[in-house]
Amino acid sequence: MPRFSFHIHATDGRARTGEITMARGSIRTPAFMPVGTAATVKALRTREVEASGADIILGNTYHLMLRPTAERIEKLGGLHKFMGWTKPILTDSGGYQVMSLSALTKRSEDGVSFASHLDGSRHLMTPERSMEIQRLLGSDIVMAFDELVALPAPRETVEAAMQRSMRWARRSRTAFDQGGEHAEKSALFGIQQGGLDERLRAASASHLQDIGFDGYAIGGLAVGEGQQAMFACLDYAPAQLPENAPRYLMGVGKPDDIVGAVQRGVDMFDCVLPTRSGRNGQAFTRDGPLNLRNARFAEDLAPLDAACGCPSCTGGVSRAYIHHLVKSGEMLGAMLMTEHNIWFYQELMAALRSAIAAHDLTAFATRFLARYKARAAS
Amino acid sequence: MPRFSFHIHATDGRARTGEITMARGSIRTPAFMPVGTAATVKALRTREVEASGADIILGNTYHLMLRPTAERIEKLGGLHKFMGWTKPILTDSGGYQVMSLSALTKRSEDGVSFASHLDGSRHLMTPERSMEIQRLLGSDIVMAFDELVALPAPRETVEAAMQRSMRWARRSRTAFDQGGEHAEKSALFGIQQGGLDERLRAASASHLQDIGFDGYAIGGLAVGEGQQAMFACLDYAPAQLPENAPRYLMGVGKPDDIVGAVQRGVDMFDCVLPTRSGRNGQAFTRDGPLNLRNARFAEDLAPLDAACGCPSCTGGVSRAYIHHLVKSGEMLGAMLMTEHNIWFYQELMAALRSAIAAHDLTAFATRFLARYKARAAS
């Protein structure tokens, strides 16, 4: 079993379908990673996540370092054993949440000091500490620690953050490689920065390749710039990264974002949208999202999506019942909706993989998007 | 398939074990019915309830009549289809919740008028309306509508409520029997009242047998009188009811309540305790209840209960993980704890049935209670 390998089985335009092979299992690409923030994909048992077709989930370094702490998870046998998930886990570096959730952050060349959003306790996050935490968790795919910039921002700010992120990427690489046994069986991904500036993105990609990583993430997108600007960046950013390594678009996204990003050469995605929406009464369907709180579903005996393979849609659960559960604030509503949404995302990824393998991606994307957006337009 | 039959397979002292046979399935007694208030056993899928060994669940007339309404559930095909549960359902009469949850209640010989706790809308509940609602829901075991009294209360108050409950029991019987097809495939239980007064209980039992029911509930207990007073009542109340019909102790109870009641001849139970506790961080175990919020579980790799057959206890889920989920407010904590607690209750009922069949109930009860209460004493 190789530590990490990536094979592309087929391409269609810039899109690719393939497989990442790791000790804990294979990851079919393009892949969607459900988010398991606090050692749980919210409202789902791990066997329910696995049944949806997910090959890998994401864990959040920031949340886990604060509670129950990485040291405790390591003592208890690692994140996989702790939460009962045997397949690969990708952990983020903690950088995004440090800067978006914590208080009193203070950045320096060394790293970021911050106060916990849970209890105000002060912590220092550095590339070295991020690598240590992800090692203690037992992560399969470790993300380099980078510095984020909220867009829009002056070019100088974006460039300075990108340059610092590249210095941190090198420190991440060094610290990861000193991780002993963990480094021998896990992978490290670098993160491209540079905002919406093609030349900064190119410089960042070049820096990262000089260091060398198992995979490359496209960072700093899906932060409010809009789909059009994101797609414009994805028209060049993936091609700046190595052809023979997976490309991971962090924090994306809506189903139509994913389709467009796959068409532009992205291989991996993560997003809280299917799980968070499931707790908020929104169901993804092939005919677009539905708000199950709406009274028009009160006597609707149809499943959420007749083409969906999830246990609810194939097991006779009606929109009327889900509507009742959501209106009544019943936990089961969030459980069934989250499960359905995760299935929808995994079925979308499977359909994209099949379409690429059949060299039919353009037609598939056109059909999918036309149907997905028809209701919104009506 | 008979409409309703009850066979006693074995007795041990006053305890009995047997089986109720109905069109939708058999109910092994002594039986514990998980409470599915609003068309869901909170935090569990119906297949998870079924896997725990539950032969029957309880639905709440009061909640369902207000939301989504009995008329809507009937229109959608009945409660079984609505919530995806194929086995028998017992519905309460609505009386208890009308008097405990609603506002501005006004009692008369006709019934009880009240304002919904959800939207303040006014409703009138009568024996006839209760029977209609339970018929619209498609209930398998329908409960007569009775009048409750909060204890302690003057004997005259308890007696007057009992006498009115008996008049309402007769009206319930008449209305149920006019239910057409539904009456031909479902059962009606009467409810004994009379507080803690043996002669009133005897008079109530006599009234009910004059009317004739498929089963008999012992009502008005578990309302704060304490276990000792309840057991004192159960020392005579079950024997006042027919030998050859099931006896149902409503709203009971803690595991030790159930053991004592089974020893006194009770066949059926329902209680929110396992489900509500599951959402509040309390796990039932053979060594007594555990509060999983307690920091002493933070690094405890043991399952909730090593002897439990639930998916968590047999699947490697540790107390440390559950502690983390509960502390983090994660829905999965409530899901796994509720599932475990329902399994604990069903395994207790199975053990009681086996002990009765083996004429070993006294020894079983002594062993069970000694271990269950040892931790509390330590």
Side-chain angles (χ1 to χ4, degrees), chain B residues 107-181:
Chain B
R107 306 180 186 202
S108 70
E109 183 61 24
D110 189 33
V112 183
S113 78
F114 65 96
S116 160
H117 73 292
L118 295 176
D119 62 5
S121 59
R122 286 211 69 86
H123 300 263
L124 175 65
M125 183 65 100
T126 62
E128 293 75 19
R129 176 63 178 149
S130 177
M131 295 305 106
E132 181 184 28
I133 291 170
Q134 295 181 73
R135 177 177 58 74
L136 290 168
L137 296 174
S139 171
D140 298 285
I141 300 183
V142 170
M143 299 304 298
F145 186 68
D146 58 350
E147 184 175 17
L148 303 179
V149 174
L151 298 181
R155 188 181 194 280
E156 299 70 42
T157 307
V158 175
E159 179 165 13
M162 183 276 282
Q163 294 289 1
R164 177 175 277 173
S165 289
M166 296 305 101
R167 295 191 294 276
W168 287 1
R170 191 171 289 279
R171 283 167 58 189
S172 294
R173 176 84 258 177
T174 302
F176 175 89
D177 290 339
Q178 291 167 352
E181 202 179 317

Side-chain angles (χ1 to χ4, degrees), chain B residues 51-98:
Chain B
S52 75
D55 294 330
I56 178 170
I57 61 173
L58 181 144
N60 283 121
T61 285
Y62 172 79
H63 289 88
L64 295 171
M65 72 180 281
L66 296 179
R67 187 173 57 195
T69 77
E71 284 70 17
R72 175 166 286 162
I73 288 181
E74 192 264 348
K75 187 174 175 183
L76 295 172
L79 183 55
H80 292 81
K81 181 181 173 191
F82 186 59
M83 67 182 291
W85 174 261
T86 61
K87 294 183 168 189
I89 296 175
L90 179 146
T91 47
D92 64 10
S93 69
Y96 182 81
Q97 272 88 18
V98 161

Side-chain angles (χ1 to χ4, degrees), chain B residues 330-351:
Chain B
E330 286 288 348
M331 217 178 278
L332 184 60
M335 293 160 58
L336 299 182
M337 296 269 290
T338 301
E339 184 177 44
H340 167 83
N341 284 345
I342 288 287
W343 274 76
F344 178 86
Y345 267 67
Q346 295 301 336
E347 291 184 338
L348 172 59
M349 303 318 292

Side-chain angles (χ1 to χ4, degrees), chain A residues 27-266:
Chain A
I27 303 155
R28 296 161 288 180
T29 65
F32 179 81
M33 304 182 280
V35 176
T37 301
T40 159
V41 176
K42 290 185 193 296
L44 294 182
R45 294 169 175 79
T46 49
R47 69 166 182 272
E48 291 152 4
V49 177
E50 190 167 347
S52 75
D55 294 330
I56 178 171
I57 60 174
L58 182 145
N60 283 120
T61 285
Y62 172 80
H63 289 88
L64 295 171
M65 72 179 282
L66 296 180
R67 186 172 60 195
T69 75
E71 284 70 18
R72 175 164 287 162
I73 288 181
E74 193 264 348
K75 186 174 175 183
L76 295 172
L79 183 56
H80 291 80
K81 180 181 173 190
F82 187 59
M83 68 182 292
W85 173 261
T86 61
K87 295 183 169 189
I89 296 175
L90 179 147
T91 47
D92 63 10
S93 69
Y96 182 82
Q97 272 89 17
V98 161
M99 291 174 229
S100 62
L101 289 182
S102 70
L104 307 170
T105 57
K106 194 165 166 356
R107 307 181 186 202
S108 70
E109 184 60 22
D110 188 34
V112 184
S113 79
F114 64 95
S116 159
H117 74 292
L118 294 176
D119 62 6
S121 59
R122 287 211 69 85
H123 301 262
L124 175 65
M125 183 66 100
T126 61
E128 292 75 19
R129 176 63 178 150
S130 177
M131 295 305 105
E132 180 184 30
I133 292 170
Q134 295 181 73
R135 179 178 56 74
L136 291 168
L137 296 174
S139 171
D140 299 286
I141 300 182
V142 169
M143 299 303 298
F145 186 67
D146 58 349
E147 184 175 17
L148 302 179
V149 174
L151 299 182
R155 189 181 194 279
E156 299 70 41
T157 308
V158 174
E159 179 164 11
M162 183 275 282
Q163 294 288 1
R164 175 175 278 173
S165 290
M166 296 306 101
R167 294 190 295 275
W168 287 1
R170 190 171 290 280
R171 283 167 58 190
S172 295
R173 175 84 258 177
T174 302
F176 175 90
D177 289 341
Q178 292 167 351
E181 202 180 318
H182 177 254
E184 292 165 21
K185 56 185 186 184
S186 57
L188 180 64
F189 279 25
I191 306 176
Q192 181 197 45
Q193 292 292 352
L196 300 174
D197 187 305
E198 183 168 358
R199 288 169 60 192
L200 291 183
R201 287 268 167 195
S204 178
S206 175
H207 273 296
L208 293 174
Q209 290 172 76
D210 286 346
I211 302 167
F213 291 93
D214 297 302
Y216 296 83
I218 300 166
L221 293 181
V223 289
E225 74 280 6
Q227 191 185 70
Q228 195 178 354
M230 181 175 79
F231 281 176
C233 181
L234 293 177
D235 281 335
Y236 57 77
Q240 297 170 336
L241 298 169
E243 184 81 22
N244 60 353
R247 300 162 183 159
Y248 162 29
L249 181 57
M250 303 180 80
V252 171
K254 297 195 299 293
D256 45 312
D257 292 334
I258 289 176
V259 171
V262 165
Q263 289 184 294
R264 291 167 174 82
V266 174

Side-chain angles (χ1 to χ4, degrees), chain B residues 88-299:
Chain B
I89 296 175
L90 179 146
T91 47
D92 64 10
S93 69
Y96 182 81
Q97 272 88 18
V98 161
M99 291 175 229
S100 62
L101 289 182
S102 71
L104 306 171
T105 59
K106 194 165 164 359
R107 306 180 186 202
S108 70
E109 183 61 24
D110 189 33
V112 183
S113 78
F114 65 96
S116 160
H117 73 292
L118 295 176
D119 62 5
S121 59
R122 286 211 69 86
H123 300 263
L124 175 65
M125 183 65 100
T126 62
E128 293 75 19
R129 176 63 178 149
S130 177
M131 295 305 106
E132 181 184 28
I133 291 170
Q134 295 181 73
R135 177 177 58 74
L136 290 168
L137 296 174
S139 171
D140 298 285
I141 300 183
V142 170
M143 299 304 298
F145 186 68
D146 58 350
E147 184 175 17
L148 303 179
V149 174
L151 298 181
R155 188 181 194 280
E156 299 70 42
T157 307
V158 175
E159 179 165 13
M162 183 276 282
Q163 294 289 1
R164 177 175 277 173
S165 289
M166 296 305 101
R167 295 191 294 276
W168 287 1
R170 191 171 289 279
R171 283 167 58 189
S172 294
R173 176 84 258 177
T174 302
F176 175 89
D177 290 339
Q178 291 167 352
E181 202 179 317
H182 177 254
E184 292 165 22
K185 57 185 185 183
S186 57
L188 180 65
F189 279 26
I191 306 176
Q192 182 197 44
Q193 291 293 352
L196 301 174
D197 187 305
E198 183 168 357
R199 288 170 60 192
L200 292 182
R201 286 270 168 195
S204 179
S206 174
H207 272 297
L208 293 175
Q209 288 173 77
D210 286 347
I211 301 168
F213 290 95
D214 297 302
Y216 296 84
I218 300 167
L221 293 181
V223 290
E225 74 280 6
Q227 191 186 71
Q228 195 178 352
M230 181 175 79
F231 281 177
C233 181
L234 293 177
D235 281 336
Y236 56 78
Q240 296 169 339
L241 298 169
E243 185 80 22
N244 60 353
R247 301 161 183 160
Y248 162 31
L249 181 57
M250 304 179 80
V252 173
K254 298 193 299 294
D256 45 313
D257 292 333
I258 289 176
V259 171
V262 164
Q263 289 184 295
R264 291 167 174 83
V266 174
D267 306 302
M268 299 169 71
F269 300 87
D270 82 277
C271 191
V272 296
L273 198 57
T275 41
R276 181 174 292 166
S277 297
R279 299 193 302 284
N280 292 336
Q282 188 182 55
F284 289 95
T285 81
R286 284 153 181 80
D287 293 304
L290 302 180
N291 180 354
L292 268 292
R293 293 188 171 279
N294 195 307
R296 72 187 166 102
F297 298 116
E299 298 188 351

Side-chain angles (χ1 to χ4, degrees), chain A residues 208-349:
Chain A
L208 293 174
Q209 290 172 76
D210 286 346
I211 302 167
F213 291 93
D214 297 302
Y216 296 83
I218 300 166
L221 293 181
V223 289
E225 74 280 6
Q227 191 185 70
Q228 195 178 354
M230 181 175 79
F231 281 176
C233 181
L234 293 177
D235 281 335
Y236 57 77
Q240 297 170 336
L241 298 169
E243 184 81 22
N244 60 353
R247 300 162 183 159
Y248 162 29
L249 181 57
M250 303 180 80
V252 171
K254 297 195 299 293
D256 45 312
D257 292 334
I258 289 176
V259 171
V262 165
Q263 289 184 294
R264 291 167 174 82
V266 174
D267 306 302
M268 299 170 70
F269 301 87
D270 81 278
C271 191
V272 296
L273 197 58
T275 41
R276 181 174 292 165
S277 297
R279 299 194 303 284
N280 292 336
Q282 186 182 56
F284 289 94
T285 81
R286 285 154 180 78
D287 293 303
L290 302 179
N291 180 354
L292 268 293
R293 293 189 171 279
N294 195 307
R296 72 189 167 100
F297 298 115
E299 300 189 349
D300 187 341
L301 283 171
L304 291 174
D305 182 338
C308 173
C310 87
S312 292
C313 287
T314 56
V317 175
S318 64
R319 293 171 175 183
Y321 183 56
I322 303 262
H323 169 79
H324 165 71
L325 294 175
V326 171
K327 289 285 284 187
S328 304
E330 287 288 347
M331 217 177 279
L332 184 60
M335 292 160 57
L336 299 182
M337 295 270 288
T338 301
E339 184 176 44
H340 166 84
N341 284 345
I342 288 288
W343 274 75
F344 177 85
Y345 268 67
Q346 294 301 337
E347 290 184 339
L348 172 59
M349 302 319 291

